[in-house]
Amino acid sequence: MENPEEKKLSITTETSNFTAALKEFEKLVELTAIQKKEERLGLYVKNEDTIDYEKFYESVLELFGPEIKSQDVKSFYRKLSNNPDASVDWCEIFGYFLSEEDALASQLDEENLVFLISRKQRFPLSGGRKRDVVKCLVKIPQLNFLIIATQKGSITVFNSKMRVQANINVTDTSWITGCDYLPQLKRIVAVTERTIIIWDYKAQGNSQDSCFVIKPVDHCLLCVCVVPITDHLGRDDILMGDDGGFVNRFTLSSDDFGLRQSKHKRKAQSQILDSKNFKSVKRKLHNDWVMKINYIQPLHSFGSCSLDSTHSFVLDSLKRLGDNTPVREFSMPRGANTFVYCIRANVIVTGGDDKILRLWHPNISTKPVGKLVGHMFSIIELVTNEKDQHVISLSSAKVFRVWDIQTLSLLQVFHDSQGGPGDMQIYAMIFDQNHGVLVTGSSVIDMYPLTRMIQDTKQIPHSHDRDINVMVYNRTFHQLLTICSESIIKVWELETGHQIYQIFDPHGSNVEVTTAAIDKSGFVLATGAYTGTVKLWDFGSGQEMKMLFEGKDWKEDDHCLSQIAFVTTDKKNHYLILALEFNGKIKLGKEGDPLLAVVWELPEIMPILIQGKQVISLAVTSNPKTMNLTIPEVELTSEDNKPVVLNISPGISMEVTCFDVLIKEGYNMIATATVNGIIILWNFEMSTATQLHRPEDAFNLNLDLDPTRLKINSILFLFRSKEYARKMSQDSVSSSAQSGGLQSSKGSKSSIHDAEGKGQSTGEHSDGTKGETSAGQKTEKDVLPNIFLNELPPPILVTAHEDGHLRLWNLEGKLLKDVLPFTKHSAISLTTLYTDIYARVLLAGNMEGHVILWTIGSFLDPPHEEKKFKQQIAWRGHALKIVNVIYVEDKQVVLTCSVDGSIRVWHARNGHYCGYFGQRRKFELNQVSDFILPCDVSERPVEVREESKYTEKKQKYEYPLVFDRNKWRKMSSFSLLFRRPTPKPFDVNQEFKFFKTLSSPKIRRTVLERSQIGNKEAGIIFGALHIYRVPSPTSLRFLPLIGADAHKESSENFQGKKKGGRVQHTQARRRSLRRSLAPGVNLISAFFPPIQK
């Protein structure tokens, strides 16, 4: 025990350390508050000491450790950023505001439990005897089989669907006590009280014939396990524990089974083998029964437990069984009934009659590292869930307890209440890691599924009660905002998927919110409604800031907002909002002191474009209110501002459907697309509006065709700024310096950017030569693309069309690429587009719920090679239309939302489903989960793979089988070939000798010698063919008969065989050959050498 003075000293030291951490935290909060105040006044200049959220979060982790929750840090940072003068308390960083009622309700919620007891499945024992119970359960992950051995001698193999694959009833008076699978011998081993049973479950016929019994044994065998050693093929070692405290090691080889049984000496009983003929070794390690034995492969040791209080648990190498060296022993009161090893935590958990679970380090046997108390009865079985780091314990009263092995906390308690304690005693329990199911065996087989498996596969993902209209991502706080058609705003945490807050009816009762946007800083949210009103919100707190009121003469249908976007400005806390109305008008709203106000509207230029003019000149107005705006107010020149009479059908729609803004690196442009497929580029630097593309029948009305067939649903700028290009350049240089330009800085972690990064780091110049120094080291100019060192490539426009095509354009209106996404379906309308901040990935969603991902980083560099625009993967994420799709770069996940009301998360690299926002369990974004699909999706992801340019495409030829005469001569005499009568119609030759003589053709490796061509005797056609001479020609005697007449004549000649019949047959055969060919042409002399008698 620790000395009281030492304990008091350690407590004092911890207190002083925590006090020092609090003082440092107060300094950090003070510096952050000063910085936020200066930012609000516009006096702060960013430098290396700027405290953003990432730096603030890392500083808090250094002070208080990793136990701090990121959600609590984000809430504290938002509060400090929104109001630097507000009073803050250090307790808030630990989440003191969480109430106990919410935590209790969360624990009682069934969906938050580890195992979903209401979805338990029960299977009866197939072919079992009366009052029989399961004694052993073994899961074979490689074969996806489940082996069940009952007490009275029934061994059954089940597949993944719990259907019986093989079964045997062992005719032994002793009870089965354990079983396991032999991976090398491909057989099942089971032990009874007196014998060892080896069963070949794949053998056909009587199951008793494929069963071997090894006896006698010295003691009553109680448990068995297999040592998974793969050094020796055809050999398996098994470990067995008995009632004398001995641990036995048996060596089984393939020579001992299978070859001893002859086909002619089969017996309808088991083969009995003498145990003395097997190599075995044993050692007494316990003073009581050996309850369980297992080989722990990561530790290269075996473990055995007993009811002995002194030698309760033994863990040591297999070599200790053959000598008398002391072994590593663990002692505990009343011994141990079971044990289990957790690989990731590197602890061994034991349980016994003292009702306490002990956690041991494999190298420390004197004292356990932890204890878990809670069971009221003896612990009889333990299993682990390695993926979730859970330990499941079972007591003799059929009470299950689920523990978190990392925090040593109790997660769930449930009881098998069906049947009495003695009627259905549970003797065996395993956890299926592949399917997430807990399997128990008594007089029946019960399966308890994990709650997350039911949520992922059987429950319909549900995030909103109505259709989702908007989904936007806040990069600053790593949070997601969604709005449904019921006008409910929800903010979600990306890392966990949990909801942070929600706002009901943000624009008033029964007013639908149709669009939203978040500014670059992440602190301000803008929402647009069906009535045309716009509101600004504080994103952190959800408080309303300012509002653009509805006009008196507005009509809801005309001013309904379909898209809004923030426009970057030089001034702090001044916001410009660009809004697109349903009627196609684009307006710019400016933040005033009390309210938002519309300052200008883009002029109507469609009548001028109808007249055929491609480029329209614009003039900047002299309005003083709009002079200093980022996007100035423009108007048509006097030449174009004239009334025009339009000669088009009034039924043609020309409204703007979408737009995108590009204001950076000297560009100040807006790109718009219309219902009839026209793309217009507004260039405010050059004061022009250019028509980039117009379909041929854009102004033609055809009632037989869909009026929206030319519609463009989304438009997007693809552009790399200098900031992101410089960052990519630094990453390329650092990764090249560390790994020699062959590996990325992320090591072995695969990414959708890996192949593209390797292509950009080759360092080849335009003339094809590699720029390397004389020492063989690459310089920075060789590692980086030239476009990063000289100038940035011009922007590219990408459009998503109603006809399902994706088209890319340059700023001159030239079509660079026309793509039809590959989704195993016909063309489906594309609904949305998204690209990351580095413009390396392009995502699209379509009308039927598919998500398509392309890599486009290399394509942006001139000359825009089509081969560099590659589709990586496509998968179906929803059963209905996708509204928005977002790619998160740091997590490499894709977020999708649909009109089905769900927000789902996917791994971008392989399209694996992670979960949905609103589920109880947390996301596992950093590790690739098992491949599962939502209940409403049945299609697997489609990965597009290309052939490597370094591998040649070789055509594979499949040669047919040919008749092998050597095999035929060995099987039957040649004379029997002509004695057989002519087969009648529908007669079947039952010998099948012809098929047995078929073989693959022998391809000659040497070139045949060619003679002169042009044989007059063979005719014009055959004489003009090349004639090859075979070194060993085939004799004419072995050629097949040509024609039915020849076969008939040869059969008649052999009916009455006489002396010299061989010569007669040869002559008759030659006559039949000449008769079967064309008259007057001797082909035999032309193609074959003469036969010597």
Side-chain angles (χ1 to χ4, degrees), residues 730-744:
Q730 295 174 357
D731 295 341
S732 301
V733 172
S734 60
S735 62
S736 302
Q738 293 177 4
S739 58
L742 297 178
Q743 297 179 354
S744 64

Side-chain angles (χ1 to χ4, degrees), residues 402-455:
V402 184
W403 313 83
D404 190 336
I405 203 169
Q406 298 291 342
T407 61
L408 304 184
S409 59
L410 180 64
L411 302 178
Q412 184 181 2
V413 180
F414 60 96
H415 176 243
D416 185 5
S417 59
Q418 298 184 7
D423 298 337
M424 300 178 63
Q425 180 65 41
I426 300 175
Y427 293 96
M429 178 175 67
I430 62 170
F431 182 78
D432 188 352
Q433 304 284 349
N434 296 336
H435 300 88
V437 177
L438 181 68
V439 185
T440 62
S442 56
S443 59
V444 293
I445 304 170
D446 291 331
M447 292 187 174
Y448 300 90
L450 288 174
T451 304
R452 63 178 177 85
M453 300 300 294
I454 298 298
Q455 287 180 350

Side-chain angles (χ1 to χ4, degrees), residues 219-274:
H219 295 84
C220 177
L221 300 179
L222 300 178
C223 51
V224 65
C225 77
V226 174
V227 181
I229 299 177
T230 58
D231 296 341
H232 303 280
L233 298 177
R235 196 194 83 175
D236 280 304
D237 290 355
I238 60 174
L239 299 176
M240 298 174 293
D242 55 31
D243 59 351
F246 288 89
V247 174
N248 305 265
R249 180 180 180 182
F250 257 63
T251 300
L252 308 174
S253 63
S254 58
D255 298 335
D256 301 324
F257 313 103
L259 299 179
R260 298 177 179 269
Q261 193 175 10
S262 175
K263 295 183 178 179
H264 304 288
K265 296 182 180 180
R266 283 186 174 270
K267 299 180 181 180
Q269 60 183 3
S270 304
Q271 301 284 324
I272 299 176
L273 305 177
D274 191 356

Side-chain angles (χ1 to χ4, degrees), residues 302-347:
F302 75 94
S304 63
C305 63
S306 172
L307 300 177
D308 185 5
S309 299
T310 305
H311 315 285
S312 304
F313 177 67
V314 174
L315 179 69
D316 218 317
S317 173
L318 291 174
K319 298 179 181 180
R320 301 286 80 82
L321 296 178
D323 53 30
N324 295 324
T325 307
V327 295
R328 196 185 318 158
E329 297 178 344
F330 301 76
S331 301
M332 57 200 76
R334 304 179 66 180
N337 292 329
T338 181
F339 69 94
V340 70
Y341 175 69
C342 184
I343 299 176
R344 290 174 57 186
N346 193 25
V347 294

Side-chain angles (χ1 to χ4, degrees), residues 25 28 56-65 68 73 93:
F25 178 71
L28 177 65
F56 184 83
Y57 180 66
E58 292 176 359
S59 301
V60 173
L61 290 183
E62 292 179 0
L63 293 175
F64 300 108
I68 299 294
V73 180
I93 205 69

Side-chain angles (χ1 to χ4, degrees), residues 33 96 187 229 283 328 342 689 811 909 924 930 966 976:
Y96 77 99
R187 302 193 180 197
I229 299 177
R283 181 180 177 182
R328 196 185 318 158
C342 184
L811 297 185
R909 183 170 55 87
E924 297 177 357
D930 299 331
N966 294 329
L976 296 178

Side-chain angles (χ1 to χ4, degrees), residues 6-193:
E6 295 179 355
K7 186 176 182 180
K8 184 177 181 181
L9 181 61
S10 63
I11 294 175
T12 306
T13 304
E14 293 178 0
T15 305
S16 60
N17 293 337
F18 184 74
T19 305
L22 286 180
K23 292 181 179 179
E24 295 294 331
F25 178 71
E26 291 177 357
K27 294 180 181 178
L28 177 65
V29 172
E30 183 179 357
L31 292 176
T32 307
I34 293 174
Q35 174 184 319
K36 296 301 177 183
K37 291 179 182 179
E38 293 179 355
E39 288 181 358
R40 286 177 173 268
L41 297 175
L43 303 177
Y44 185 77
V45 180
K46 289 186 178 182
N47 51 31
E48 296 180 355
D49 299 330
T50 301
I51 303 175
D52 54 0
Y53 171 73
E54 300 293 341
K55 192 172 183 179
F56 184 83
Y57 180 66
E58 292 176 359
S59 301
V60 173
L61 290 183
E62 292 179 0
L63 293 175
F64 300 108
E67 292 81 9
I68 299 294
K69 296 182 179 179
S70 60
Q71 175 59 36
D72 299 334
V73 180
K74 288 180 182 179
S75 301
F76 188 91
Y77 185 76
R78 280 199 304 267
K79 178 181 178 180
L80 191 63
S81 301
N82 296 330
N83 189 3
D85 297 326
S87 60
V88 292
D89 194 348
W90 62 267
C91 297
E92 298 179 12
I93 205 69
F94 295 94
Y96 77 99
F97 44 81
L98 293 179
S99 63
E100 296 182 357
E101 297 179 357
D102 297 338
L104 181 61
S106 177
Q107 291 181 1
L108 297 178
D109 192 352
E110 187 184 24
E111 292 186 357
N112 201 33
L113 299 178
V114 180
F115 292 98
L116 201 59
I117 311 303
S118 59
R119 296 297 185 95
K120 179 182 73 173
Q121 292 181 309
R122 172 160 291 184
F123 301 92
L125 297 180
S126 60
R129 302 169 186 176
K130 293 183 178 181
R131 300 188 65 83
D132 200 1
V133 294
V134 176
K135 287 293 293 183
C136 186
L137 294 169
V138 178
K139 179 68 178 181
I140 311 174
Q142 299 85 358
L143 304 176
N144 204 8
F145 282 174
L146 178 65
I147 303 174
I148 296 177
T150 62
Q151 192 177 53
K152 294 185 178 180
S154 176
I155 305 177
T156 309
V157 179
F158 292 88
N159 61 6
S160 59
K161 298 181 180 179
M162 290 304 293
R163 296 179 180 176
V164 178
Q165 298 295 309
N167 177 262
I168 185 176
N169 290 317
V170 180
T171 57
D172 199 326
T173 57
S174 302
W175 285 356
I176 290 181
T177 55
C179 71
D180 208 341
Y181 177 73
L182 303 173
Q184 298 296 330
L185 300 180
K186 304 294 188 296
R187 302 193 180 197
I188 296 174
V189 57
V191 295
T192 66
E193 296 173 346

Side-chain angles (χ1 to χ4, degrees), residues 800-813:
H801 295 255
E802 186 73 16
D803 58 1
H805 285 254
L806 184 82
R807 297 181 173 92
L808 292 99
W809 319 80
N810 60 9
L811 297 185
E812 287 76 27

